[in-house]
Amino acid sequence: MDLFTVKRLQKILDGYIAMKVPGNVRSSVRLIYEWQDNVLTLSEERPQFQERQWKRKTIVQFRLEKRRWSVYAQESNENWAPVLSIPPSPDFEWQLEQVEIDRERIFWSS
């Protein structure tokens, strides 16, 4: 993925996270994203006070496949499966919006 695209997506995600997680709760929840080649994984972290560390829960993966963004959800066996109700799209922001709307309660149910 070219550097311009990476920087553009970082700005989109940073803005999304700033709106999704208000400043007054950032000490108890945070959203992070990680890149690996053409895969972007969005995760939530919450503090675990007994272990004095943050516990991570993956939320969604966005994969750039054939110039289109596909959305994947993690199954109970920790494998990733495509979300068939969200068709691949070249528009990353539209895909992120579909995850936020979460009509099937796949991503934000717990």
Side-chain angles (χ1 to χ4, degrees):
M1 190 174 319
D2 64 278
L3 184 59
F4 176 78
T5 301
V6 169
K7 293 291 186 186
R8 186 178 75 81
L9 296 178
Q10 286 174 335
K11 292 279 188 193
I12 291 167
L13 287 164
D14 290 344
Y16 172 73
I17 289 168
M19 290 181 63
K20 180 82 173 164
V21 183
N24 63 328
V25 298
R26 291 186 185 149
S27 63
S28 59
V29 64
R30 60 187 181 194
L31 293 179
I32 61 162
Y33 56 91
E34 298 175 297
W35 294 96
Q36 185 174 10
D37 299 320
N38 288 342
V39 176
L40 185 148
T41 304
L42 182 65
S43 302
E44 176 185 272
E45 291 185 335
R46 292 183 181 261
Q48 297 296 307
F49 295 106
Q50 290 94 0
E51 295 92 30
R52 294 184 180 204
Q53 61 186 7
W54 290 80
K55 183 171 181 170
R56 183 175 298 180
K57 175 188 170 208
T58 54
I59 298 169
V60 63
Q61 266 190 359
F62 300 94
R63 297 182 187 182
L64 186 58
E65 303 169 323
K66 300 178 184 176
R67 297 180 153 183
R68 296 169 95 63
W69 289 100
S70 297
V71 177
Y72 285 73
Q74 199 166 35
E75 300 176 311
S76 59
N77 61 6
E78 297 190 12
N79 290 329
W80 290 95
V83 178
L84 301 177
S85 61
I86 304 175
S89 171
D91 186 347
F92 176 80
E93 288 179 272
W94 190 84
Q95 297 297 65
L96 182 59
E97 182 179 342
Q98 299 313 301
V99 169
E100 176 62 22
I101 293 169
D102 196 14
R103 288 187 173 97
E104 296 177 52
R105 300 189 50 93
I106 297 170
F107 309 107
W108 305 107
S109 62
S110 56

